[in-house]
Amino acid sequence: MSDVLEVKNLSKSFGGIQAVKDVSFSVKKGELLAMIGPNGAGKSTCFNMLMGQLKPTKGEVYFEGQNLIGRPPREIWRMGIGRTFQITGTYTSMTVVENVQMALISHHRRTMAILPYAHKMYKPEAMELLELVGMQDQAERHCAILAYGDLKRLELAIALCHDPSLLLMDEPTAGMAPTERIKLMQLTADIVQDKNISVLFTEHDMDVVFAHSHRIMVLNRGELMANGSVDEIRNDPRVQEVYLGGGSLFEEAESQA
Ligand code: ADP
Ligand code: MG
């Protein structure tokens, strides 16, 4: 597998707080890679640097061989790094399929042309994406009445509109019930395989992480303390210590079981 993303010594300080310290890793083609760690470990800070929303204090990031540092978020998005937006990213007054069409129109830079013809533009392409996430039957429903889990699937379809080769998902299942989380990540895993894209995601639910990741990285106090297969991470005493000592993820997973 070749590397899609290569991160070297990525660091970020906020005043006196070093939120991310010399983090280095790579994401391989077709890989579903989880970044886990207690609250405040620096996960979102890492994601924001990869998406161009935060400028690193230090470090290098290469996407398909091109340096990303210093590029604005829009440019990084156009290069092929997608992200799932929060619920507010969907227009609740529009139907499901219209939301996907809008994203496709924006991707193809056809926004000037939208007024009279928007309802016809990219509809077959939008329906294809909805089918991919199992939402084709809900295409004509208004987003305002969708169930939360369905909105999340719609967000995924929208994120796929510009055909990214890497998707960044920071807590994609936040606010979902455990069974819904498993389903959303299973869907993501199927799409990753189908389209041969890579996903870097963060997730609190350890059942989801262990069930769907190809590889897991553990961030603790800004530092990458482990990077390995599901079995390696599950059996790593240092990881267990962080979680049990810090009173978070493993306990959370057990209390949900
Ligand atoms: P995680 O996503 O793993 O929960 P974050 O990346 O959000 O962690 O936060 C890492 C650390 O950086 C925390 O100590 C947090 O308080 C701090 N931090 C994050 N964003 C900012 C900011 N904009 N200004 C100051 N401190 C921040
Ligand atoms: Mg976070």
Side-chain angles (χ1 to χ4, degrees):
M1 282 202 283
S2 58
D3 291 346
V4 174
L5 191 79
E6 206 183 341
V7 176
K8 291 183 189 168
N9 301 111
L10 195 63
S11 305
K12 179 73 189 173
S13 305
F14 296 108
I17 302 170
Q18 191 157 17
V20 175
K21 292 179 210 167
D22 282 322
V23 167
S24 301
F25 65 90
S26 57
V27 185
K28 306 208 177 302
K29 187 118 192 98
E31 186 173 47
L32 198 65
L33 175 60
M35 179 186 273
I36 64 169
N39 270 337
K43 304 179 296 295
S44 293
T45 304
C46 273
F47 273 64
N48 290 334
M49 288 192 280
L50 300 179
M51 295 187 290
Q53 272 146 339
L54 269 182
K55 192 170 170 281
T57 313
K58 195 182 92 181
E60 296 163 55
V61 180
Y62 295 94
F63 171 64
E64 294 175 341
Q66 290 183 281
N67 189 11
L68 288 190
I69 301 296
R71 294 180 197 254
R74 185 93 192 150
E75 195 180 324
I76 292 175
W77 184 79
R78 288 223 177 268
M79 286 168 77
I81 300 188
R83 49 175 291 202
T84 43
F85 290 92
Q86 290 303 312
I87 294 303
T88 46
T90 60
Y91 298 97
T92 48
S93 64
M94 297 196 308
T95 65
V96 168
V97 69
E98 282 167 356
N99 265 283
V100 182
Q101 286 173 269
M102 281 293 287
L104 286 164
I105 288 168
S106 160
H107 167 53
H108 292 282
R109 303 184 196 230
R110 299 285 299 275
T111 39
M112 297 310 285
I114 63 180
L115 271 178
Y117 306 112
H119 65 288
K120 290 189 191 147
M121 286 175 84
Y122 302 109
K123 188 146 182 186
E125 292 88 342
M127 287 305 297
E128 211 173 289
L129 284 166
L130 287 177
E131 198 172 334
L132 196 64
V133 300
M135 290 281 289
Q136 68 276 28
D137 296 344
Q138 305 203 53
E140 305 301 336
R141 296 184 80 197
H142 276 269
C143 288
I145 56 169
L146 287 186
Y148 190 65
D150 291 339
L151 267 176
K152 290 285 189 184
R153 285 193 288 160
L154 174 58
E155 280 176 17
L156 187 56
I158 289 172
L160 293 169
C161 278
H162 74 302
D163 217 7
S165 43
L166 170 67
L167 260 188
L168 302 177
M169 304 169 89
D170 192 4
E171 300 199 31
T173 71
M176 298 177 92
T179 51
E180 288 271 289
R181 289 182 203 167
I182 296 270
K183 275 200 271 179
L184 184 72
M185 284 320 290
Q186 180 61 57
L187 177 66
T188 306
D190 292 345
I191 293 172
V192 162
Q193 197 168 19
D194 187 54
K195 292 191 160 286
N196 197 28
I197 60 177
S198 315
V199 173
L200 175 63
F201 74 110
T202 68
E203 171 64 57
H204 277 288
D205 185 331
M206 296 309 285
D207 291 338
V208 175
V209 171
F210 289 143
H212 296 297
S213 315
H214 299 148
R215 192 156 58 90
I216 302 172
M217 299 188 289
V218 186
L219 206 61
N220 186 38
R221 298 175 192 224
E223 287 180 278
L224 200 59
M225 61 169 291
N227 182 349
S229 68
V230 171
D231 280 344
E232 282 165 351
I233 296 299
R234 210 199 287 262
N235 298 318
D236 187 328
R238 292 170 310 152
V239 176
Q240 289 173 0
E241 198 181 300
V242 163
Y243 283 134
L244 295 174
S248 54
L249 302 191
F250 284 111
E251 285 175 8
E252 204 174 283
E254 276 158 21
S255 68
Q256 277 166 5

